[in-house]
């Protein structure tokens, strides 16, 4: 069985069919089912525009290349997707001599080249270059192509693209919720005006909900406190295994990178090598759900990250912990015994005053000292019950900055979207707050600052040191 795209001569095996996926083609896809939705939506959108606006001159080659770009745009993702790309590789590989850093789109281009070559796919180099540029969302290697086609798979103008439509629908359903995004409605609302994909004015609410859904998923799912804690464990496990598996070297070799998948965790567990002891221990802790515990969390405007990013780090928290330990020893105070109330009482009065002032400036309250589950299974005294007389080290602490926005950082995403109306179907229009009927916030970007204790017995100690450092930081 095969899926044929757009023109004769190029066929792709059906990833759902084991027989057709057992050969060379499937071995070029690290996860073939992952990108089917994006490829399907890309084909639907470009065909809709072609059929509705024949004057644009969209041909079979355009449809083919856009579809393949949607299908192959994420071939370059490593294990655990953005965790590998954005957190593991920067540490394991570092930056290049020119200051640039590897990104998964580069991996997608490399794997595309390998796929075409190994399977003798009849695509000209011009088509391959065009597909690569469609994946990037900008013309770099190709010339003379229709500009609006670069807004389908990776839209750098306003972020409305089929990749986003696909993962929002997929991930919303994956967490058991109902997806309000209807891609077919946006496809039928699309129209090209002056080389820009515009949308029907009446669908401004649907467009806004697309951006809000992205923000909501990032806040509630992708940046969930436990999910982030597990991501840090995965990165630590991969870094500890790097001397054995050399994962960072594989990103430049398609034959090696092909086999760098999520199964690396099981590969580490199976390998009998004493150098993997640390990595295996981290994985055992992960499987037993011994994950880092959140000690503190704050929601802040973006200005705080720019000001505090290099000041509020594990090193300064560890140094503050050492200072607090010395002060307690000098005062001959007993070690802390448990809950956050105890921690608050142990902090100096002047520090409390400074912290209260900070809360007023930021406008958010500090969290409780422990994370109590809804069924009451976790007692406040479980966390922070030992080691209080020993100062923290940098390795005991995780400081995580998560920047959340609607897709265009601090900008209102609707400001970059062009619309059309039935009365003026060939004129681009932009929405206005007084006419769109869409309620929008004043800010479109925020920062979630979290501090974790890798050892749950040190949660109170980490929180105490974190708050002490916080009270010394400058205000924007």
């Amino acid at each position: 069985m095969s899926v044929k795209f757009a023109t004769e001569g190029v066929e792709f095996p059906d990833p759902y069919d084991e027989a057709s996926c057992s050969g060379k083609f499937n071995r070029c896809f690290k996860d073939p089912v992952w990108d089917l939705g994006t490829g399907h939506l890309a084909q639907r959108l470009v065909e809709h525009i072609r059929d509705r606006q024949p004057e644009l001159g969209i041909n079979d080659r355009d449809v083919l290349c856009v579809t393949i770009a949607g299908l192959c745009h994420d071939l370059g993702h490593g294990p655990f997707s953005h965790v590998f790309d954005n957190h593991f590789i920067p540490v394991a590989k570092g930056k290049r001599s020119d200051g640039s850093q590897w990104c998964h789109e580069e991996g997608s281009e490399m794997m595309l080249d390998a796929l075409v070559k190994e399977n003798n796919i009849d695509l000209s180099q011009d088509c391959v270059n065009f597909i690569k540029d469609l994946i990037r969302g900008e013309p770099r290697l190709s010339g003379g192509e229709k500009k609006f086609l670069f807004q389908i798979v990776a839209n750098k103008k306003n972020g409305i693209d089929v990749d986003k439509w696909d993962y929002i629908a997929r991930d919303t359903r994956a967490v058991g919720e109902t997806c309000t995004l209807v891609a077919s409605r946006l496809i039928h609302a699309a129209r090209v005006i002056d080389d820009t994909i515009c949308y029907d004015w009446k669908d401004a609410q649907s467009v806004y909900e697309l951006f809000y859904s992205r923000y909501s998923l990032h806040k509630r799912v992708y940046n969930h406190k436990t999910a982030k804690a597990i991501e840090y464990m995965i990165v630590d496990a991969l870094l500890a295994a790097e001397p054995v598996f050399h994962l960072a070297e594989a990103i430049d070799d398609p034959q090696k990178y092909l086999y760098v998948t999520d199964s690396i965790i099981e590969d580490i567990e199976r390998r009998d090598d004493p150098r993997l002891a640390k990595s295996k221990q981290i994985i055992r802790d992960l499987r037993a759900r011994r994950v880092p515990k959140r000690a503190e969390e704050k929601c802040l405007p973006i200005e705080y990250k720019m000001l505090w990013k290099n000041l509020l780090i594990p090193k300064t928290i560890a140094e503050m912990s050492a200072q607090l330990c010395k002060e307690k020893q000098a005062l001959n105070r007993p070690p802390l015994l448990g809950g956050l109330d105890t921690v608050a009482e142990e902090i100096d009065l002047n520090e409390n005053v400074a912290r209260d002032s900070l809360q007023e400036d930021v406008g958010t309250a500090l969290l409780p000292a422990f994370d109590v589950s809804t069924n009451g299974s976790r007692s406040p005294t479980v966390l922070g019950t030992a080691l209080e007389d020993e100062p923290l080290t940098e390795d005991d602490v995780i400081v995580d900055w998560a920047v959340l926005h609607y897709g265009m950082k601090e900008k209102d995403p609707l400001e970059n979207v062009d619309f059309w109306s039935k009365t003026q179907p060939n004129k681009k229009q932009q929405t206005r707050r007084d006419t769109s009927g869409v309620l929008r916030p004043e800010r479109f970007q925020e920062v979630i600052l979290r501090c974790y204790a890798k050892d749950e017995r040190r949660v109170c100690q980490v929180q105490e040191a974190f708050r002490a450092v916080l009270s010394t930081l400058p205000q924007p």
Side-chain angles (χ1 to χ4, degrees):
M1 183 182 299
S2 65
V3 179
K4 186 176 296 186
F5 289 106
T7 64
E8 297 293 329
V10 179
E11 295 187 4
F12 292 86
D14 183 354
Y16 293 110
D17 183 69
E18 293 184 3
S20 64
C21 284
S22 59
K24 291 181 178 180
F25 182 89
N26 186 54
R27 290 195 289 109
C28 285
F29 282 92
K30 296 161 72 63
D31 188 348
V33 179
W34 185 268
D35 292 326
L36 273 182
T38 305
H40 169 68
L41 292 173
Q43 183 176 14
R44 284 186 59 191
L45 178 56
V46 70
E47 287 182 341
H48 167 79
I49 296 173
R50 179 196 62 185
D51 296 342
R52 291 288 297 272
Q53 297 180 267
E55 69 275 11
L56 296 174
I58 297 175
N59 53 40
D60 287 346
R61 172 184 174 273
D62 295 331
V63 175
L64 174 67
C65 291
V66 168
T67 304
I68 295 175
L71 183 69
C72 299
H73 77 287
D74 273 346
L75 287 181
H77 270 312
F80 307 102
S81 193
H82 293 285
V83 176
F84 182 87
D85 312 334
N86 299 337
H87 300 288
F88 170 75
I89 287 297
V91 177
K93 191 82 169 178
K95 294 184 178 180
R96 302 187 181 100
S97 57
D98 61 358
S100 64
Q101 192 165 285
W102 183 87
C103 61
H104 79 271
E105 288 86 358
E106 293 179 44
S108 295
E109 294 179 5
M110 178 185 71
M111 299 304 289
L112 175 64
D113 284 333
L115 187 154
V116 172
K117 180 179 180 180
E118 183 176 345
N119 294 276
N120 297 316
I121 296 177
D122 185 18
L123 283 175
S124 68
Q125 190 59 48
D126 285 344
C127 283
V128 172
N129 289 340
F130 184 28
I131 293 167
K132 290 179 180 179
D133 286 349
L134 290 167
I135 290 173
R136 295 275 192 151
E138 58 183 345
R140 302 169 302 119
L141 306 173
S142 58
E145 306 293 350
K146 303 171 183 65
K147 293 182 180 179
F148 62 86
L149 294 177
F150 296 98
Q151 299 171 17
I152 293 178
V153 177
N155 190 339
K156 291 193 172 183
K157 182 181 187 297
N158 53 41
I160 303 178
D161 51 50
V162 294
D163 179 29
K164 191 174 279 81
W165 298 352
D166 177 60
Y167 79 70
I168 287 176
R170 179 193 66 223
D171 295 347
T172 301
R173 291 188 177 95
V175 297
E177 297 183 0
T178 301
C179 181
T180 59
L181 171 66
V182 181
S184 59
R185 184 177 182 89
L186 292 177
I187 289 174
H188 288 289
R191 179 176 178 81
V192 175
I193 304 173
D194 298 334
D195 267 332
T196 300
I197 297 179
C198 308
Y199 294 89
D200 194 329
W201 182 270
K202 67 182 181 181
D203 290 304
Q205 179 68 38
S206 297
V207 172
Y208 173 79
E209 288 179 1
L210 170 72
F211 294 116
Y212 178 79
S213 296
R214 177 197 182 278
Y215 161 77
S216 180
L217 280 172
H218 275 272
K219 185 158 189 173
R220 299 182 299 109
V221 181
Y222 309 143
N223 286 281
H224 185 277
K225 63 180 179 64
T226 306
K228 295 296 291 185
I230 291 173
E231 286 181 3
Y232 279 101
M233 294 184 73
I234 290 173
V235 172
D236 286 345
L238 296 182
L239 289 172
E242 179 64 7
V244 177
F245 287 91
H246 307 291
L247 302 174
E249 297 177 7
I251 64 175
D252 299 315
D253 185 335
Q255 296 305 318
K256 293 180 180 178
Y257 195 46
L258 181 62
Y259 299 101
V260 180
T261 66
D262 291 358
S263 64
I264 184 62
I265 296 297
E266 288 76 18
D267 294 340
I268 293 171
E269 292 177 308
R270 282 191 294 265
R271 182 75 67 90
D272 185 14
D273 190 318
R275 293 175 295 173
L276 294 174
K278 180 179 178 181
S279 183
K280 288 184 176 182
Q281 182 57 55
I282 294 172
I283 296 171
R284 281 195 294 269
D285 289 340
L286 177 56
R287 293 197 182 281
R289 203 174 173 83
R290 293 189 291 267
V291 302
K293 302 300 180 184
R294 180 185 60 183
E296 189 77 343
E297 177 176 322
K298 293 185 72 64
C299 183
L300 305 167
I302 189 65
E303 296 81 10
Y304 283 84
K305 180 186 178 184
M306 295 185 285
L307 188 62
W308 291 355
K309 177 72 172 179
N310 297 321
L311 302 175
L312 193 55
I313 57 178
K315 181 181 179 181
T316 57
I317 293 173
E319 291 172 349
M320 180 61 73
S321 173
Q323 179 181 331
L324 293 174
C325 284
K326 288 181 180 179
E327 292 175 359
K328 290 172 185 176
Q329 290 171 1
L331 294 173
N332 196 26
R333 292 185 179 182
L336 299 176
L337 297 177
L340 280 215
D341 292 336
T342 307
V343 174
E345 293 172 2
E346 291 289 338
I347 298 177
D348 184 81
L349 177 61
N350 292 332
E351 185 180 317
N352 281 328
V353 173
R355 192 166 63 247
D356 291 341
S357 175
L358 175 66
Q359 290 182 31
E360 293 178 3
D361 291 336
V362 176
T364 56
L366 296 170
L367 286 181
F370 49 86
D371 184 12
V372 183
S373 62
T374 54
N375 60 10
S377 61
R378 180 174 296 162
S379 167
T381 58
V382 170
L383 303 182
T385 58
L387 308 177
E388 300 292 355
D389 56 340
E390 299 176 10
L392 298 167
T393 67
E394 292 183 45
D395 194 50
D396 291 322
V397 184
I398 297 171
V399 177
D400 179 67
W401 295 86
V403 180
L404 309 179
H405 52 80
Y406 279 48
M408 299 301 293
K409 297 186 178 180
E410 73 282 355
K411 297 180 180 179
D412 180 345
L414 285 185
E415 292 180 356
N416 291 319
V417 181
D418 293 302
F419 294 90
W420 60 274
S421 64
K422 288 184 177 181
T423 57
Q424 295 178 304
N426 296 316
K427 180 181 179 181
K428 292 193 299 186
Q429 305 176 50
Q430 288 193 322
T431 182
R432 299 202 317 267
R433 285 179 177 267
D434 60 339
T435 60
S436 66
V438 176
L439 293 175
R440 287 176 262 171
E442 291 297 322
R443 285 179 176 265
F444 290 89
Q445 184 172 231
E446 65 185 8
V447 172
I448 303 297
L449 167 62
R450 291 193 182 107
C451 185
Y452 292 87
K454 290 187 178 180
D455 186 338
E456 68 175 15
R457 296 173 299 172
R458 311 198 78 159
V459 169
C460 293
Q461 191 179 7
V462 169
Q463 187 192 63
E464 181 183 28
F466 175 89
R467 290 182 171 183
V469 173
L470 206 65
S471 68
T472 67
L473 299 180
Q475 298 295 303

